[in-house]
Amino acid sequence: MRVVIIGGGYVGLVSGTCLAALGADVTVVENNPARFDMLCAGKMPVYEPGLEELSAKMRGTRRLNFVSHVSAAPAADIICIAVGTPARHGDGHADLSHVFAAVEQAAQHLQQPAIFMTKSTVPVGTGRRIAALLAELRPELAVHVASNPEFLREGAAIGDFMRPDRIIIGTDDPHAAGMLARIYAPLIKAGVPLLQTSLEGAELIKYAANGFLAMKIAFVNEMADLCERIGADIAEVARGIGMDTRIGQQFLQAGPGFGGSCFPKDTLALMRIAQDAGAPSRLIETVVSVNDTRKSAMASRVIAACGNAVRGKRIAVLGLTFKANTDDIRESPAMSLVQRLMDEGAHVQVFDPAGMRHARFQLSSGVKFHNSAMDALQGAHAAVFATEWEELSLVTPAQLQSTMAGRVVVDLRNMLEQDAFVRSGFAYHGIGRPSQPLSHDPKSVSISSAQIRLTA
Ligand code: UDX
C-alpha cells in the first residue's frame, strides 16, 4: 500500500513512521525547508520519545521517505492530509487554509484514482467540502474521501498509534473503507476494534472524544476546589469515583487546568461547530470557560501562598510544558502563571527539562532561565511545581532546604509527598488536598471477615 502524507508535523511524522512500521510504503511531504533538511539529516523537528529511532529504522527499510513537494511524491493509493488546523484568530473556528491548500496541490499532481484521508482534526463537514473540491478539480478521476482521526497523546504517541483503543474510519464508500482497513491490518488482526462510520460521524468522534476528556478534567478540578473547602482529599475522591467502571480512573488527575495543542483548540472548535449547527453545547461552553478561569486562578494561589504579595520576591517555577514528556508549551498553565507572576513584580526563576528552548521565545525578558531545578531554586522564597516531570517529583525537602531562602511549596500537580514536606517545616499547598495530610493512608485496604465480625 502506497501512502503519501502531506505535512511532516507531529501527526504526519508519527503516523507516517508507524504506518511504515505496519508495512506501508510511506512518503511524507514537508515543504518547510528547515524542517525538511532536519528530516533528511535523520533529526525529528518534533519532540516525541522513540520517534527518531523508529523513523531511522523505517528509513533503513526504505518504507519511509521524505520529499519537499507533493510533485516529488510517487503515485499513491492513499493521500493523507496531516497539516495543522490552528484556532483561527478571533473566533475559535479551526483554520482550514492549510488543509485546502494541501488538497489542491495534491489534486494537481494526482496521477491515478486515490483515497484522500484526513488525519488533521477538521470540523464536521470538511470531508464533504474536500470531496466537492476534488470533484471540481479532477472530475475525470474517481477520488474518495475518508476521515481517519488520530487519538495520539504527546509523549505516548507511538504506543497510542501501535496499540490504539480503536480505529475509526469514516466514509460512505465501502472500497475506501476496505483500502484504509488494509493499512491497519496488523493491528486489526491483533484485535484492535475497527469502527466504520459516516464521514461526519468520524469527524465528530474526534472532537467529542477530546471534549469529553476535557470535561472530565474540568469536573475533577472543580471537585478539587470543593475538597479544599470541606477538608477532603481529591486523590481519595477521584479514586473512589474512578472505581466505578462506568467512570474509570483515567483523566481524573486534578491540576492547574488542561493545556496543549489539542484540548484548548478542540473544545473551542467544538463549541463553535455546535453553535453554528444550531445545537449549542452548554457543557462544552462551560468546560472552556471553567478551564480558562482555572488557569488564571493558579497565579492567585501562588500569590496567596506567598502572603498575598510577590513583589520583589524570588519564585522558582519548575516545569513549563503543558504536561510531562513533551517540549510543548502551547496553552501551558505554567507559562501564563510565570507571566502573571512577572507582571505582579516577582523575580521568577524557571527550569524545565525539555521546554526551555520554546519558552525563551515566549516569556518576557526578565525571566531567569536555569539549567537545573537546583539552580532555579537558589534563594527562592517559594517553589512552584507546575509540570509533573519525573525528575522534578524526585526533589526532596532536604534539597529545597539547602537551596531556598523561604519555605513555601506550591504543588500544582500533587506530585510531591506532602507529608515529607510538612514534616520538614514547609508550608505545602497542593490541589484539592487539606493543608495538613490526612492521618490515614488512602490506598485500598482489604478487611478480613474476622475484622468484620469483630466490629459488627
Ligand atoms: C490529547 C488527547 O489525549 C489525545 O487523544 C488527542 O488526540 C490529542 O489531545 P495531549 O494533548 O497530548 O493529548 O495530552 P493529554 O495527555 O491528553 O493531556 C492534555 C491536558 O490535560 C494536559 O494539560 C494534562 O496535564 C491535562 N490532564 C490530563 C489533566 O489535568 N488531568 C488528567 O487527568 C489528564
Side-chain angles (χ1 to χ4, degrees):
M1 203 59 103
R2 296 160 306 171
V3 182
V4 166
I5 297 189
I6 305 187
Y10 190 79
V11 171
L13 289 173
V14 173
S15 306
T17 303
C18 291
L19 285 175
L22 293 178
D25 288 313
V26 180
T27 303
V28 176
V29 182
E30 173 52 60
N31 61 12
N32 175 309
R35 291 170 75 96
F36 177 67
D37 289 347
M38 276 184 89
L39 290 171
C40 293
K43 296 265 167 263
M44 287 291 116
V46 295
Y47 177 97
E48 181 60 35
L51 182 60
E52 199 160 290
E53 294 79 358
L54 186 58
S55 152
K57 195 166 155 200
M58 289 306 115
R59 285 186 80 199
T61 65
R62 302 197 176 280
R63 289 205 303 276
L64 178 65
N65 296 291
F66 301 112
V67 295
S68 61
H69 193 268
V70 72
S71 58
D77 306 297
I78 295 168
I79 294 168
C80 169
I81 307 295
V83 294
T85 53
R88 205 162 61 188
H89 269 306
D91 63 5
H93 278 290
D95 177 353
L96 295 179
S97 54
H98 301 297
V99 170
F100 287 110
V103 171
E104 276 186 35
Q105 278 182 18
Q108 231 177 6
H109 297 282
L110 208 58
Q111 300 152 25
Q112 59 174 61
I115 298 162
F116 275 67
M117 152 175 126
T118 50
K119 269 242 176 260
S120 303
T121 303
V122 290
V124 181
T126 305
R128 297 268 169 226
R129 286 176 63 196
I130 293 175
L133 179 63
L134 288 167
E136 192 187 309
L137 294 171
R138 299 301 300 269
E140 77 286 9
L141 287 180
V143 181
H144 297 289
V145 178
S147 162
N148 173 222
E150 48 76 24
F151 302 95
L152 308 175
R153 282 166 305 165
E154 290 184 23
I158 293 178
D160 285 350
F161 196 101
M162 297 308 240
R163 290 179 296 281
D165 289 337
R166 75 299 206 192
I167 296 162
I168 308 285
I169 294 178
T171 177
D172 304 331
D173 182 67
H175 165 72
M179 293 279 280
L180 291 195
R182 275 173 59 193
I183 57 173
Y184 290 110
L187 300 182
I188 295 164
K189 270 196 204 127
V192 175
L194 168 76
L195 179 67
Q196 196 198 323
T197 68
S198 65
L199 251 176
E200 289 78 4
E203 287 168 346
L204 183 56
I205 284 169
K206 173 65 201 251
Y207 282 108
N210 277 353
F212 190 86
L213 293 170
M215 188 169 69
K216 247 181 134 176
I217 298 167
F219 176 80
V220 82
N221 284 340
E222 282 197 337
M223 290 302 109
D225 286 348
L226 181 56
C227 282
E228 285 167 21
R229 296 296 171 107
I230 62 171
D233 185 333
I234 190 61
E236 289 185 349
V237 174
R239 190 137 194 246
I241 59 175
M243 284 168 127
D244 185 327
T245 51
R246 293 170 302 175
I247 296 173
Q249 296 285 356
Q250 293 190 50
F251 279 70
L252 287 180
Q253 175 65 47
F258 58 77
S261 65
C262 289
F263 283 179
K265 165 174 81 75
D266 291 352
T267 44
L268 209 56
L270 178 56
M271 182 178 112
R272 295 287 179 234
I273 291 166
Q275 285 166 350
D276 289 356
S281 167
R282 282 165 57 199
L283 279 175
I284 293 299
E285 287 169 13
T286 306
V287 167
V288 169
S289 91
V290 161
N291 195 60
D292 286 347
T293 311
R294 181 161 194 86
K295 280 158 79 172
S296 35
M298 291 303 110
S300 310
R301 267 175 192 260
V302 175
I303 295 167
C306 293
N308 288 320
V310 290
R311 182 161 298 280
K313 288 183 181 159
R314 279 171 195 245
I315 299 185
V317 176
L318 304 180
L320 296 172
T321 50
F322 80 97
K323 63 171 190 178
N325 302 322
T326 174
D327 68 347
D328 198 339
I329 54 161
R330 281 175 286 179
E331 306 286 336
S332 170
M335 293 293 288
S336 43
L337 168 77
V338 170
Q339 201 51 61
R340 167 87 189 282
L341 293 175
M342 291 295 291
D343 296 344
E344 296 286 333
H347 301 298
V348 186
Q349 326 185 135
V350 302
F351 168 71
D352 186 280
M356 306 267 274
R357 194 168 55 90
H358 295 308
R360 276 180 212 277
F361 288 110
Q362 203 171 306
L363 289 172
S364 62
S365 56
V367 176
K368 292 258 179 332
F369 289 86
H370 292 277
N371 290 328
S372 71
M374 289 310 122
D375 285 350
L377 286 162
Q378 284 299 333
H381 172 83
V384 183
F385 289 78
T387 309
E388 72 284 22
W389 285 99
E390 196 189 350
E391 71 169 85
L392 299 179
S393 71
L394 299 176
V395 169
T396 62
Q399 286 174 314
L400 294 199
Q401 278 167 337
S402 65
T403 47
M404 288 175 66
R407 290 289 176 266
V408 176
V409 169
V410 185
D411 179 3
L412 299 180
R413 301 281 184 169
N414 290 352
M415 59 197 255
L416 304 173
E417 250 189 76
Q418 176 181 11
D419 227 355
F421 283 86
V422 172
R423 269 190 276 112
S424 304
F426 283 91
Y428 172 94
H429 305 265
I431 294 281
R433 283 176 161 181
S435 50
Q436 292 295 321
L438 296 176
S439 55
H440 63 276
D441 182 350
K443 292 189 185 72
S444 343
V445 285
S446 45
I447 298 173
S448 69
S449 48
Q451 280 173 299
I452 293 171
R453 267 199 306 278
L454 270 177
T455 47

